[in-house]
């Protein structure tokens, strides 16, 4: 139980919609959300498909704990093949959309084909319709959202949509929901755009059925207390949001500056989480069923109102571009969200362009009418974000992400990416485990597939020396598998600062009526990780793609506590593959796949 | 004729409205607009009145050529006593409001007293009503305008209103009309705010009666051709707007930088009129009946749409603050307009705060949560603009203008103002005539009471050496008087690049059925100048207020064509007073007043 029991299949080419029975047997193996949708996607698409072709499919998937009282139970996933990486795309988002998709009665949406004209999907209670979206096409995210909600006349409706970036097939386009929440990474918005699907709007009042209501109440109550008592989820995140990290990461010498040329940022105090609270915060915002409330509603002096920036977004438009002007950073975040682009990939791509420009590889005439791309050029943020979203001028190249941009100019080494996806805000030379997590991530450069910052820097669940190699491969595997489970349950990764496998098992058992052990649920996570890896290899990924940019392997960190250090991937990777039970090239063995019941 | 023949008197204290006969005899002497409204204001208010007391009055006044086919015939004036200078306030604006005020049937509006609650004045055809504006109070200019137009349901209505700055009685608050056009200077918006008058909305279809229609057609046709053929009004302004001046003024070494500490700006090419066109221009915009069309509709990457910046506004937020980021400059202009503040006074006040801060006179703790006030701090623009409009923190002091701010911190010499009003974008050390015009302006620091830049730099109507003193006092007098005439006719000063006194006489004679010579109309201008001066002295102005900041008199220009020069006011002022027929202290003599038929 806890599933609505309905999969909605939407054929955009024909304009047909049908409901299908929920695959309950598969859900025993892949749970829901990320895992189940990936399994369904893998089973019914050719791994060699062009990501932007009608033959690619796009899935929106909730987990069993989405729309329940489980703390942070408001997440959903967007699963497809990525135009950025050519690999599995698997983007998670919060807000209210996921819960409302279930309130309307649907666990998973499958979009197939391509609509001949712009459409949106209306999901009312027991009513699903494809409707004309010509009047919404071209609109930015906030305008499209406001207009659609007003048209429907349902205040409690949530919209997931694309902005101009998705329409123009930018490889860094996101799917935005509730205006400010992003299924941000891997260009999932471009896939939605390629299908002429502008938006999904959902509302309803259905409840997700809980098998053991009494037990659920008891478990939830205990876990909310754990979240409240935990210093990160109970104090740090509510006080400063994810930007609680700015000063911590900077002090630890991991704060990537000027496209990872430096590891500490002199301007941090002007743009830190503390400064954001002081200057622009209106109030904290919480996603559905979340007792943490790490979101930040801000109002800028120009009257723009919105959420963020998160730590990663503020960093991408700040130190990465050598900018400490918090107003410009916060505005860039709002613009990027409103254009429907991934803040991390967009910001890191601008930073890459700045390094390429300063080194003379992007000629000044290629900037057209645009401002200089020297590091520190505040005006460049808004300008090139817009160019990227509309694929205008240099923005057309930038819209393909930093790797293709740098490759076009003959220097792919200045793209700070893994598998062509931009890596986030922690320099791997200072965190050996976290760097291994980057290199082995199944969706390319990413911090939320195995957030080793938690033990290596924050000391949770225990403090590990960030430069130690021993045991790190096993830690990475464990974090990756548990994260896959969390993403499949419909919960937020931030819950894991306070909760662990036993707590997740307790929630799932109460809600679903299962009797899973912690080993059982971690095994689900491992299974998911392995089908993602297998999909990538089937899609044509070279096994050697599990690596890091040369900068981290060959150029020692220039300052701070990690001065002189590089990332020691060569020592870590074989042990990681061994821990995974894979062969020495990183291919899941027949035995491992059989053990995990993967066909 | 050409007048509608109606004065509307609005008593805000009682909520009563009555129409009065138009003072035709006075109009023979003072024409309309600036002149006639000043005469009416002077006659019925105590010159010692507190500018923000209910006893002060506020007049909106069109000229006889407003709402006619006369080229640029779309102007109106706002006349009151200024809270910034304590002197006559006399602010001119374009757009469509002035013409629509006459289309509704009114030449002049007189607001008296103070409303007990926020109200707006509705002017439909033959219908005038005071209406509740509680729902509009607190709104920015664009929101208030959109909402009011939508409520009235008249697309062809124009709104003149105040923003938060006027509501909060900022001494640099403007009256904004048609969203982007400003009766900007001298804090007229604060007077409107002190009366709890949020807005005036006007629409209608009445025509301004022309005495000699055939003659008018002929004169207008010839003058439109003159405007089209003139290089400034036919090419320069349409191509680049007022920002055609950026490079010209910079090359001539008059482009005030870092609060007039420097006279040339290295970053000019990044923020010039050419760059604005390249980057952000959507299209040119023209005011009512204007064949020039110098307005610029821009769209910024963040989605904000609006007009400007004009040359002066771009300069105030740009070189004055050592900022070359055109996006930040253009956005600051839109924010400032939307908050309802004068861009010149607001920008120059920020620049003064920056110099005071860098010299250690504003302690860092006085910035509160705000960004640094070091020159070049882009983030400071939007932040302190908002603080100024809402009178928050340091903004409460800044809202009083640069003079009171600098005086508060013990260094009034860093306020670049005349009579406490900020001076605009031309360094007087490089233009002796224009500097004299600043010093003698009846409304304090101002470039549009006698725009000597025209002959001294642009060569129109003939080229004068900017450093020559001979003849400059007479040129200044001539320009001041002609400008007073233009402002009273309802025309735009920019028409004077192509038209002169004979053309203005021809227009007025055709429209009004007069037979005025050029001497006659220039005499009207001189009369207006003299009553303004007399009012200021009656209001308590010390005659020595006709001066410039010491910086221009004692610190030689540091670079460029005027390197080593100061302004030679001591040599020019006595000759100017003599040319005016005033005594040596600058007081209009009994003889002069009698000659001009001033009581």
């Amino acid at each position: 139980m806890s599933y609505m029991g309905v999969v909605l299949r939407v054929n955009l080419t024909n304009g047909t919609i049908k409901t299908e029975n929920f695959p309950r047997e598969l859900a025993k193996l892949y749970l829901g959300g990320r895992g189940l949708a990936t399994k369904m996607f893998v089973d019914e698409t050719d791994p060699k498909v062009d990501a932007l072709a009608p033959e690619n499919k796009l899935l929106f998937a909730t987990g069993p704990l989405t729309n329940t009282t489980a703390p942070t139970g408001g997440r959903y996933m967007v699963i497809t093949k990525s135009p950025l990486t050519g690999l599995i795309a698997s983007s998670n988002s919060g807000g209210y959309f996921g819960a409302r998709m279930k309130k309307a009665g649907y666990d998973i949406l499958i979009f197939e084909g391509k609509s001949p004209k712009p459409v949106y999907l209306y999901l009312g209670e027991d009513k699903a319709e494809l409707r004309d979206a010509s009047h919404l096409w071209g609109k930015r995210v906030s305008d499209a959202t406001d207009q659609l909600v007003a048209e429907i006349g349902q205040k409690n409706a949530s919209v997931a949509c694309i902005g101009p970036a998705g329409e123009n097939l930018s490889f860094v386009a996101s799917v935005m929901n509730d205006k400010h929440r992003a299924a941000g990474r891997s260009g999932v918005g471009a896939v939605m755009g390629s299908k002429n699907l502008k938006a999904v709007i959902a509302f309803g009042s259905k409840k997700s059925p809980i098998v053991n209501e009494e037990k659920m109440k008891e478990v939830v109550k205990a876990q909310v207390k754990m979240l409240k008592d935990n210093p990160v989820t109970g104090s740090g995140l509510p006080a400063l949001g994810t930007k609680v990290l700015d000063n911590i990461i900077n002090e630890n010498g991991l704060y990537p500056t000027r496209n990872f040329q430096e590891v500490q940022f002199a301007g941090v105090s002007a743009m830190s989480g503390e400064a954001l609270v002081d200057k622009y915060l209106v109030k904290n915002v919480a996603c559905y069923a979340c007792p943490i409330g790490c979101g930040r509603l801000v109002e800028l002096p120009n009257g723009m109102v919105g959420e963020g920036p998160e730590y990663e977004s503020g960093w991408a438009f700040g130190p990465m571009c050598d900018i400490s002007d918090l107003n410009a950073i916060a505005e860039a975040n709002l613009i990027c969200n409103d254009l429907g682009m991934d803040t991390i990939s967009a910001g890191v791509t601008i930073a890459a362009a700045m390094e390429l420009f300063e080194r003379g590889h992007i000629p000044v005439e290629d900037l057209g009418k645009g401002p200089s791309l020297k590091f520190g050029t505040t005006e460049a943020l808004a300008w090139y974000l817009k160019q990227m979203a509309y694929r205008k001028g240099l923005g057309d190249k930038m819209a393909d992400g930093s790797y293709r941009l740098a490759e076009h100019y003959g220097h792919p080494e200045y793209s700070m990416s893994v598998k062509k996806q931009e890596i986030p805000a922690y320099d791997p030379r200072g965190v050996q485990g976290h760097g291994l997590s980057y290199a082995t991530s199944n969706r390319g450069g990413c911090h939320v597939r195995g957030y080793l910052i938690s033990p290596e820097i924050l000391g949770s669940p225990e403090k590990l020396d960030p430069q130690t190699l021993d045991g790190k491969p096993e830690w990475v595997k464990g974090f990756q598998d548990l994260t896959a489970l969390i993403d499949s349950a419909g919960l937020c990764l931030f819950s894991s600062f306070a909760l662990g496998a036993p707590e997740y098992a307790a929630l799932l058992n109460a809600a679903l009526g299962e009797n899973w052990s912690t080993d059982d649920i971690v095994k689900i996570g491992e299974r998911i990780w392995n089908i993602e890896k297998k999909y990538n290899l089937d899609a044509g990924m070279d096994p050697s793609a599990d690596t890091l940019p040369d900068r981290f392997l060959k150029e020692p960190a220039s300052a701070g506590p990690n001065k002189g250090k590089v990332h020691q991937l060569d020592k870590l990777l074989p042990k990681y593959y061994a821990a995974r039970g894979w062969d020495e090239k990183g291919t899941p063995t027949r035995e491992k796949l059989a053990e995990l019941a993967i066909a």
Side-chain angles (χ1 to χ4, degrees), chain A residues 181-193:
Chain A
R181 293 276 145 190
R185 306 225 62 192
S186 312
V188 293
V191 176
M192 193 159 160

Side-chain angles (χ1 to χ4, degrees), chain A residues 180 280-285 295-299 305-308:
Chain A
H180 308 298
Y280 303 128
L281 183 71
V282 178
K283 62 174 183 180
N284 286 15
V285 184
R296 334 251 86 192
L297 187 73
V298 301
E299 179 176 345
V305 173
E307 286 182 37

Side-chain angles (χ1 to χ4, degrees), chain A residues 383-398:
Chain A
W383 177 270
Y384 290 102
L385 283 174
K386 188 173 173 188
Q387 296 291 93
M388 242 189 278
Y390 288 92
R391 284 194 172 277
K392 293 260 173 74
L394 184 65
D396 189 30
K397 295 271 180 299
M398 295 171 77

Side-chain angles (χ1 to χ4, degrees), chain A residues 52-235:
Chain A
L52 300 181
E55 293 74 23
N56 191 13
K57 300 190 183 185
L58 176 73
L59 282 73
F60 284 22
T62 60
L65 297 180
T66 310
N67 191 38
T68 69
T69 55
T72 78
R75 313 291 297 189
Y76 78 105
M77 299 287 308
V78 178
I79 305 290
T80 188
K81 184 177 184 180
S82 163
L84 184 68
T85 63
L87 310 175
I88 192 75
S90 174
S91 286
N92 184 297
S93 184
Y96 280 74
F97 178 82
R100 287 175 174 160
M101 194 178 126
K102 281 183 87 171
K103 286 183 190 301
Y106 307 96
D107 294 297
I108 293 179
L109 314 176
I110 304 174
F111 297 100
E112 308 177 330
K114 176 183 179 172
S115 170
K117 60 171 191 182
V119 289
Y120 73 90
L121 177 66
Y122 171 98
L123 294 180
E125 214 149 341
D126 298 319
K127 183 172 177 184
E129 283 181 9
L130 274 177
R131 296 182 178 179
D132 181 52
S134 305
H135 61 304
L136 301 172
W137 202 253
K139 289 200 185 296
R140 293 186 185 213
V141 168
S142 54
D143 281 353
T145 301
D146 283 341
Q147 189 165 336
L148 200 44
V149 170
E151 276 178 26
I152 299 304
Q154 276 287 349
K155 281 202 174 178
N156 290 325
S158 273
V159 172
C161 69
I162 55 171
E167 297 175 7
N168 292 299
L169 309 181
S170 165
F171 291 3
V172 298
S174 55
V175 173
M176 300 297 303
N177 62 276
D178 302 288
K179 285 190 192 173
H180 308 298
R181 293 276 145 190
R185 306 225 62 192
S186 312
V188 293
V191 176
M192 193 159 160
S194 75
K195 299 188 172 309
N196 269 328
L197 178 62
K198 177 68 180 177
V200 180
I201 184 165
F203 66 94
S205 59
K206 289 184 191 286
K207 292 195 171 165
S208 299
I210 301 295
V211 171
N212 191 335
E213 295 264 15
E214 280 310 303
K215 184 70 186 168
M216 187 76 178
K217 268 187 203 164
E218 177 191 314
V219 170
V220 167
K221 187 176 174 190
Q223 294 190 10
V224 168
K225 184 168 188 317
M226 289 172 79
L227 286 159
K228 291 285 185 194
D229 290 346
N230 179 277
V232 176
T233 53
S235 307

Side-chain angles (χ1 to χ4, degrees), chain A residues 553-577:
Chain A
L553 305 176
K554 296 179 182 166
E555 294 175 22
S558 58
N562 308 301
K563 186 171 176 178
K565 295 286 195 289
V566 295
H567 191 268
Q568 302 185 59
L569 185 64
D570 55 338
K571 298 203 178 72
L572 290 163
L573 199 56
K575 291 181 181 167
Y576 169 82
Y577 288 155

